[in-house]
Amino acid sequence: MSELADKLVDVEGDLHRIAGELEHLPEAFPRRVNADPEKVEKGLAQLVLTLVELLRQLMERQALRRMETGTLTDEQIERLGETFMKLDRRMRELTEHFELEEGDLNLNLGPLGDLL
Amino acid sequence: MSDSGRPVLAHEVTLLELVDRVLNKGVVLTGDITLSVADVDLVYVGLRVLLASVATLEEQRQLAAGEAL
Amino acid sequence: MIHLYGIVDGLDELPPVRGLDGAPLERRSLEGLELVFSRTSTPPSAEVSREAVLQHAQVVEELAGRSGAILPAQLGHAFRDDGELATAVREQAAQLARCLERVRGCVEFGLRATVAEAGDAVPEAETGADYLRVRLEQARRLDGLVARLHEPLARLARATTRQRRPDGFSAAYLVAREDVAQFREAATGLDRAPEATVVCTGPWPPYSFASEAQS
């Protein structure tokens, strides 16, 4: 599209931060359904992990809100924190295991996008 | 704004934004699995699957096989 | 296979461009909706190329410029035949008509913002409480980012979508044409402290608002 340059309204800051996603740009194009059984498993893993990640973020957000409003005891905060910390680590391990990236677990929530 | 790589990066970023819109990214699945988790699709893309039609895996295989003949 | 570019209203003539694979553009009316598509012999298992994305985008752009309203279709879906396309449209005719009215006279702008440190990385927190403290800090930073960057723009939009990204967020805004100048001005004047990378693009055809799942 020759008019691509016209689509830029404003850019501020260090674009190299988005460089990570730009590197994946060429890979974005082979975006095809395929019959490869390994890809099937990976697709399913991606779906499952995306949902787990969504729930994890929702629950963590909720815990943070309660922490802010002071309705949690120190002991509860510690227990919750440890659980979430372990869950977060486990998620990263699984994501890595299936050769997925953080960005692959991003779900477009539409109107629910404001929840997080 | 003295980064000499900026014009190239700016173009790439704009392209990224374009691709984000044109391609249905997010969870990529084969036809079968997409169908079997249609409920989940509806939850997050709402009616974005309105205009979508996914041939079943089997049909794809047949189509691909037919192409080879 | 039938490749769809979008649903339009008030299109006089098809633009003088070809579709994917050099196929000619075609139009068809169904349930009071006008569809623009092309036929392709490429099986759906073929890979999507950069050229295809750009070609699709160009067709949509040309259609948007010649129509009163457009619901852009995304690349990657194909209909087996006219029958399947007709069925899909009939089933969703009412929603499509509503969406078409919502985007009439509007364009889409996009925002993408990221913060300095990787927002979700939690280097070894010693205790659970530490972990949550770091998370709280990140959440506040994100909330601040959203308040400073997203909300001023959202006020100028007819509808918005927003989603969290690993280290920030991205959003799309449905902006009425008469508000575009004001929107642009607001976008260039955003307060991005503490330092964030902010990218605003547009105007795009309303890809993100082609369905009803937005606020």
Side-chain angles (χ1 to χ4, degrees), chain C residues 69 96 122 172:
Chain C
L96 291 170
V122 185

Side-chain angles (χ1 to χ4, degrees), chain A:
Chain A
M1 253 172 65
S2 54
E3 316 89 23
L4 209 55
D6 297 337
K7 300 297 189 189
L8 197 60
V9 173
D10 192 37
V11 169
E12 301 287 343
D14 184 7
L15 281 180
H16 289 95
R17 282 187 209 141
I18 312 182
E21 290 198 57
L22 297 179
E23 274 155 25
H24 292 130
L25 200 56
E27 289 152 30
F29 291 97
R31 200 88 203 147
R32 268 11 220 114
V33 284
N34 59 65
D36 182 347
E38 275 181 26
K39 296 268 174 73
V40 170
E41 184 187 284
K42 184 168 173 173
L44 186 57
Q46 186 180 1
L47 176 63
V48 172
L49 290 176
T50 298
L51 293 172
V52 173
E53 177 63 13
L54 169 62
L55 293 173
R56 187 193 72 78
Q57 288 183 15
L58 280 172
M59 288 194 292
E60 226 184 51
R61 208 51 151 130
Q62 205 45 40
L64 291 178
R65 285 203 183 101
R66 291 194 52 187
M67 209 167 107
E68 272 190 303
T69 58
T71 55
L72 293 173
T73 67
D74 284 349
E75 201 222 330
Q76 285 174 320
I77 289 174
E78 181 54 40
R79 274 202 335 256
L80 277 172
E82 258 210 60
T83 309
F84 282 123
M85 189 163 63
K86 285 181 186 156
L87 184 55
D88 179 59
R89 283 200 188 126
R90 195 74 185 100
M91 279 298 299
R92 283 168 200 281
E93 284 167 21
L94 286 169
T95 304
E96 206 181 294
H97 172 79
F98 284 101
E99 291 171 13
L100 294 163
E101 311 263 346
E102 248 187 278
D104 292 332
L105 306 188
N106 221 21
L107 204 56
N108 189 333
L109 296 172
L112 301 178
D114 293 6
L115 274 184
L116 297 173

